Amino acid sequence: MKIINGNKIAQALRNKIATKVKPLERAPGLAVILVGDDPASAVYVHHKDKACKEVGFYSEKINKPSDITQQALLDEITRLNNDDKIDGILVQLPLPDHLDASLVIETIAPEKDVDGFHSENIGKLMQNQPGLRPCTPKGVMSMLATTGVDLVGKNCVVVGASNIVGRPMAMELLNARATVTICNSKTINLSGKLKNADIVVAAVGRPKMIQGDWIKSGAIVIDVGINRLEDKLVGDVDFDTATHAAWITPVPGGVGPMTIATLLENTLIAYQNRK
Ligand code: GUN
């Protein structure tokens, strides 16, 4: 079993981005909006801000109270849409219940939607046209590329069908001409679906739900889950019993750092497209 080292791949990507940023006359700018004080979200936003500084981006971290009105949040996005220093806008999800996340996402200018969640960018992904693509699935594709394994025709099972990961992940794999099955936490006989999976992407958010003996020998296992369990972080896959996989991503140090490095990659693309 070989480890796909997300920290190392992400560092290489950040170094590549930093080299491209140096000769630019203006630093690419990313604005990250955090509503409320969810501790996990605050940690992610802090990592994004730190990564921006490392590669030489201009970064704005905008904290808003959890009781912000819908209109005030939309006004903030409109301000950033019109701010020439800003190439990418990200609103950290989830949002408090009184806010309409879809409306918030649709208000972000599609050319600044570095999360790739706007319907225009999701539509382009669906049609395999160039556009800003969701960071986690795009980062997973970069990680898969490092294994050197050809995806064409392979059986891929994506477990989880969220807008942020599962759905765009399935589309990325389909665009790479793989054979894709999308499962979710309610799938009947999930182990049966996994039996023939050459590539498994787990993104259900349930600690160790996928047992090692469900994984086919020689499979590639990508674990997107980040679950807090007894004061440590575990994935959706039971890492310790999946030793017969050919490749596996650890948690932490797997997909997480790649999501953030890919956000930087998208911000640089948004900068170049806007120029
Ligand atoms: N919450 C969890 N993952 C993400 C992500 O990729 N982008 C945003 N905006 N919020 C998230």
Side-chain angles (χ1 to χ4, degrees):
M1 182 185 71
K2 284 177 275 194
I3 301 288
I4 305 178
N5 185 334
N7 283 325
K8 211 173 119 189
I9 304 165
Q11 184 64 62
L13 182 53
R14 290 198 300 273
N15 292 348
K16 199 175 98 184
I17 293 166
T19 309
K20 288 185 182 168
V21 168
K22 268 205 189 98
L24 302 177
E25 65 263 34
R26 171 176 77 76
L30 175 68
V32 178
I33 302 177
L34 173 63
V35 179
D37 43 22
D38 174 61
S41 289
V43 169
Y44 293 139
V45 169
H46 171 73
H47 283 309
K48 288 168 186 175
D49 190 46
K50 210 176 102 192
C52 278
K53 298 208 162 85
E54 185 188 318
V55 299
F57 281 6
Y58 168 71
S59 149
E60 258 183 55
K61 211 169 108 190
I62 300 161
N63 286 287
K64 293 291 180 189
S66 58
D67 63 353
I68 188 173
T69 64
Q70 176 83 50
Q71 194 54 51
L73 183 55
L74 298 185
D75 288 348
E76 184 68 25
I77 292 168
T78 303
R79 179 185 75 76
L80 294 164
N81 283 342
N82 295 316
D83 183 340
D84 263 340
K85 297 189 300 300
I86 298 298
D87 302 285
I89 303 167
L90 179 147
V91 179
Q92 185 65 32
L93 301 175
L95 288 171
D97 287 341
H98 72 283
L99 298 170
D100 179 349
S102 305
L103 182 58
V104 168
I105 290 164
E106 294 303 308
T107 302
I108 298 171
E111 69 273 16
K112 295 193 177 186
D113 168 41
V114 285
D115 254 332
F117 294 163
H118 191 286
S119 55
E120 185 175 313
N121 285 315
I122 288 292
K124 284 178 175 167
L125 172 63
M126 291 283 295
Q127 297 183 336
N128 201 13
Q129 287 169 13
L132 292 166
R133 295 187 169 191
C135 301
T136 301
K138 185 177 170 180
V140 168
M141 296 308 283
S142 303
M143 295 176 95
L144 287 171
T146 67
T147 67
V149 172
D150 184 13
L151 300 178
V152 176
K154 292 282 159 60
N155 289 325
C156 300
V157 174
V158 177
V159 190
S162 69
N163 288 336
I164 293 181
V165 184
R167 288 163 196 255
M169 185 74 248
M171 212 45 64
E172 287 281 8
L173 291 164
L174 192 60
N175 289 342
R177 302 175 68 203
T179 307
V180 185
T181 305
I182 310 172
C183 298
N184 57 53
S185 62
K186 301 281 194 287
T187 294
I188 293 165
N189 188 18
L190 179 60
S191 63
K193 305 280 182 207
L194 291 171
K195 235 181 217 133
N196 290 315
D198 304 304
I199 291 135
V200 178
V201 181
V204 261
R206 299 196 174 200
K208 300 187 186 181
M209 188 187 100
I210 296 170
Q211 294 167 31
D213 60 1
W214 298 0
I215 302 293
K216 183 174 122 173
S217 187
I220 304 177
V221 179
I222 307 287
D223 194 345
V224 183
I226 300 177
N227 310 287
R228 192 165 286 281
L229 195 68
E230 298 143 11
D231 240 39
K232 68 169 189 161
L233 295 179
V234 301
D236 292 347
V237 179
D238 186 16
F239 185 91
D240 296 333
T241 59
T243 48
H244 52 290
W247 296 91
I248 191 165
T249 63
V251 178
V255 174
M258 275 308 284
T259 294
I260 296 178
T262 306
L263 171 67
L264 304 175
E265 197 180 22
N266 278 355
T267 304
L268 184 58
I269 293 170
Y271 168 92
Q272 285 158 345
N273 289 346
R274 273 171 26 81
K275 251 190 16 162

